[in-house]
Amino acid sequence: MYAERASRLTGAVVWTNSPTVPGTGRVLPDGCMDLLWHDGRLLVAGPDTRAHVTTASLGPWAGVRFHPGTAPALLGVPAPELRDRRVDLADLWPAARVRRLTARVNAAPDPATGLEEAALWAAADTGPFDPLPPRIVAALDAGRPVAATADELGLSARQLHRRSLAAFGYGPKTLARVLRLQRALALARAGTPLAETATRSGYADQAHLARDVRQLTGLPPGELLAGRG
């Protein structure tokens, strides 16, 4: 069973998942990165450009999902190097530091609480967040073209691409596609017909929506919304 709640860390979400039967799952791209706990280990989920298909291993999982653009500074992890990857934290941080943090998470009342505390400690050590990534997300999520977003933020196209790559792991065009996908899925899951969903989300038409959903998730919209795969 999957459950999530808002974190005490602004913009982050704390989640838990406890698969009860073997099978595969599908994690869809959302612009975020996650700090994960499973079976006593800490991992980092990088930014996805396509659906990440998982093979469910029984037992609980916990995670903190960071708002797009915040995890690289918090975790000291280069976003592009983790694109479409799941990596042990021990491969990214000094072994002694990972052992101490893992012990603290495992000693917490529950792993989700321990991960949230770890995220709060990291934020306290990081200092103020860069204000630019949230502005990039807000502009693109409002449906503004990449060129207009760059102009609005006072950046050249090359500067916007460089800053986006560092913050999100990929350029603004990919981020815009991912955010548009999430807007469309939210509308469709709320019962909005697909043709209307396409128009309201910024697609040219329903066929464009269907192609993009299949490319980013590996499934046509009907199967994805029905929860298959």
Side-chain angles (χ1 to χ4, degrees):
M1 177 181 295
Y2 178 86
E4 66 177 46
R5 61 172 174 82
S7 171
R8 288 178 288 154
L9 179 65
T10 302
V13 171
V14 179
W15 59 266
T16 56
N17 191 27
S18 299
T20 57
V21 294
T24 59
R26 196 171 294 266
V27 180
L28 304 184
D30 58 5
C32 301
M33 292 174 59
D34 293 54
L35 178 63
L36 310 172
W37 174 95
H38 176 65
D39 198 23
R41 295 165 50 222
L42 298 180
L43 307 95
V44 175
D48 293 324
T49 61
R50 58 187 181 274
H52 177 77
V53 179
T54 64
T55 301
S57 54
L58 301 184
W61 286 78
V64 174
R65 182 176 304 117
F66 300 103
H67 192 269
T70 60
L74 274 174
L75 300 178
V77 177
E81 294 183 14
L82 296 181
R83 186 170 52 237
D84 295 315
R85 298 177 64 199
R86 283 15 179 200
V87 179
D88 278 297
L89 188 60
D91 293 335
L92 305 171
W93 283 8
R97 185 182 181 192
V98 174
R99 283 196 299 270
R100 289 194 299 270
L101 183 60
T102 302
R104 295 182 74 166
V105 173
N106 289 335
D110 59 84
T113 298
L115 285 177
E116 184 178 30
E117 291 293 339
L120 290 166
W121 297 327
D125 290 338
T126 301
F129 286 118
D130 181 355
L132 183 61
R135 295 178 64 195
I136 296 173
V137 172
L140 295 176
D141 201 25
R144 291 182 181 83
V146 170
T149 296
D151 289 342
E152 178 181 315
L153 299 177
L155 301 172
S156 68
R158 183 172 295 181
Q159 287 172 327
L160 176 61
H161 183 85
R162 185 172 64 248
R163 296 293 296 272
S164 296
L165 188 66
F168 311 112
Y170 36 62
K173 289 184 178 180
T174 298
L175 178 61
R177 284 185 74 200
V178 167
L179 296 173
R180 183 175 60 183
L181 169 73
Q182 289 295 329
R183 293 197 304 272
L185 292 178
L187 286 169
R189 286 166 175 158
T192 305
L194 287 180
E196 182 182 349
T197 289
T199 300
R200 291 174 58 183
S201 301
Y203 292 94
D205 51 31
Q206 185 174 338
H208 182 202
L209 164 66
R211 287 195 303 272
D212 217 45
V213 169
R214 185 185 284 274
Q215 288 171 3
L216 290 172
T217 74
L219 292 175
E223 289 188 28
L224 183 67
L225 294 169
R228 294 194 289 273

